[in-house]
Amino acid sequence: MKIAVAGLGYVGLSNALALARRNRVVALDVDARRVALVNGRRSPVAEADIARYLAAEQFDLAATLDPREAYEQAGFVIVATPTNYDPLANSFDTSLVEAVIADVNRINPDATIVIKSTIPVGFTDRMRRETGRENIVFSPEFLREGRALHDILHPSRIVVGERSPRAETFANLLREAALDKDVPVVFTGAREAEAIKLFANAYLAMRVCFFNELDSYAMAFGLDAREVIDSVCLDPRVGAYYNNPSFGYGGYCLPKDSRELLANYGSVPQNIIGAIVDSNETRKDVIADAIASRQPAVVGIYRLTMKAGADNYRTSAMEGVVER
């Protein structure tokens, strides 16, 4: 089967590589440099697994700048374009996703469009209404930046926001691409799948905030934060993972997804989701104040990236500390 992938970032490239082991995949990007790198079997993103895989594995993958070359005769088109959070509109900017949908419906209206980009709850239904077409499905990704290929080859779960034969076909493509057996596969409604993605990231953001606030308390009262964290996390209900204090959560997903979920709540009563967003800002205040209280003549910053193993510093928490 021919599969097209729109977008050669972490999500698009990792999906393209995994699926190209058993299928013909044509990936589209607007960046000529990214296209050239992929066709030259070099990685355009900073991820060691992707770089090794491109250089060593056998797969049927080509990259192109031409939408027609990508979309014609494709059975599925995976959309992995950015959906940045627009603070003025208080919502995701979905214009790039909408542009891909329009191009696919113009070039190959028989293709099933599978959105992997993170979108607001209700977006899939709105696109179906506005385009007058039912060929749009949402399937959330749960990939970590810097570990994206590993996560698609060893998925925690596969979620497809539709109950239909084509949803089963797509889920089977992902399951066949995985190296693990017995991967949990979940079929839901479109809006439920959209909510799964936002709430999953909101929970991870909340966990970051919890251990950051524990660390802020330890800083204030002279406690050894690691001793407290290690013992708290021995409780299996808490678990010894995702518990390292930081400057705050940052990067491409958690900041925008938590804000989007908060906006989605509208008039629905909530306290926790808003507190997650506020807590991340407070943590940057705490770190900046702790530095300023020492009255340094010079402050050195070692890397701006949002986390180890990645080259992305978009919405990095460290940027917020520098600004303060």
Side-chain angles (χ1 to χ4, degrees):
M1 178 186 295
K2 178 184 177 183
I3 300 170
V5 177
L8 277 172
Y10 283 96
V11 174
L13 184 54
S14 57
N15 273 273
L17 285 171
L19 291 167
R21 294 170 58 231
R22 293 173 175 263
N23 305 274
R24 179 186 173 212
V25 177
V26 180
L28 174 74
D29 202 276
V30 297
D31 188 331
R33 173 183 167 275
R34 285 176 176 260
V35 168
L37 285 171
V38 171
N39 286 333
R41 297 297 184 254
R42 291 178 293 163
S43 177
V45 299
E47 181 170 320
D49 286 346
I50 288 178
R52 284 195 297 267
Y53 206 83
L54 273 167
E57 294 292 328
Q58 297 297 316
F59 44 80
D60 189 354
L61 170 64
T64 181
L65 295 165
D66 182 3
R68 188 167 294 277
E69 180 183 352
Y71 301 148
E72 280 185 341
Q73 300 181 324
F76 289 93
V77 177
I78 296 174
V79 185
T81 53
T83 50
N84 295 320
Y85 187 80
D86 183 347
L88 297 179
N90 200 28
S91 181
F92 286 146
D93 178 358
T94 58
S95 58
L96 295 178
V97 176
E98 294 175 45
V100 172
I101 291 172
D103 283 347
V104 174
N105 283 335
R106 173 176 53 84
I107 295 169
N108 182 6
D110 294 329
T112 298
I113 300 169
V114 181
I115 302 172
K116 284 285 182 181
S117 307
T118 307
I119 52 179
V121 176
F123 178 82
T124 304
D125 289 342
R126 178 169 71 83
M127 284 294 96
R128 289 175 174 177
R129 289 193 304 270
E130 292 182 2
T131 63
R133 301 191 60 81
E134 296 295 315
N135 64 331
I136 305 168
V137 178
F138 178 65
S139 175
E141 54 83 13
F142 306 101
L143 310 180
R144 294 168 294 174
E145 190 167 322
R147 300 277 286 169
L149 182 59
H150 175 276
D151 289 344
I152 199 167
L153 295 176
H154 306 278
S156 58
R157 71 279 207 199
I158 294 169
V159 178
V160 184
E162 186 174 89
R163 298 177 180 90
S164 67
R166 68 184 180 186
E168 293 178 8
T169 298
F170 184 72
N172 284 334
L173 288 171
L174 294 180
R175 185 159 46 188
E176 290 169 358
L179 299 180
D180 293 347
K181 305 300 181 184
D182 302 322
V183 177
V185 178
V186 181
F187 298 99
T188 71
R191 301 205 310 163
E192 285 76 9
E194 293 159 347
I196 287 167
K197 172 63 176 178
L198 294 179
F199 276 99
N201 275 354
Y203 178 83
L204 294 176
M206 178 179 69
R207 193 171 172 100
V208 172
C209 291
F210 177 86
F211 288 105
N212 280 347
E213 292 202 357
L214 186 161
D215 186 63
S216 295
Y217 182 92
M219 289 169 59
F221 292 100
L223 307 180
D224 185 323
R226 179 47 57 188
E227 286 187 2
V228 178
I229 290 170
D230 287 347
S231 292
V232 167
C233 291
L234 288 174
D235 187 325
R237 294 170 298 178
V238 179
Y241 62 92
Y242 219 67
N243 61 3
N244 190 44
S246 64
F247 303 112
Y249 61 77
Y252 183 56
C253 293
L254 298 190
K256 70 182 181 70
D257 291 2
S258 54
R259 290 183 181 276
E260 175 63 32
L261 182 58
L262 179 59
N264 275 204
Y265 261 81
S267 60
V268 178
Q270 61 79 30
N271 296 104
I272 293 176
I273 307 303
I276 292 169
V277 174
D278 293 342
S279 175
N280 203 46
E281 296 306 306
T282 299
R283 176 62 173 181
K284 298 170 194 174
D285 293 338
V286 169
I287 296 296
D289 289 347
I291 296 169
S293 69
R294 290 163 169 79
Q295 298 182 325
V298 177
V299 177
I301 305 296
Y302 177 69
R303 304 194 70 188
L304 295 173
T305 51
M306 48 78 72
K307 71 172 190 176
D311 65 347
N312 173 24
Y313 59 87
R314 178 169 37 190
T315 324
S316 166
M318 180 49 68
E319 285 192 315
V321 175
V322 170
E323 289 169 3
R324 284 160 174 76

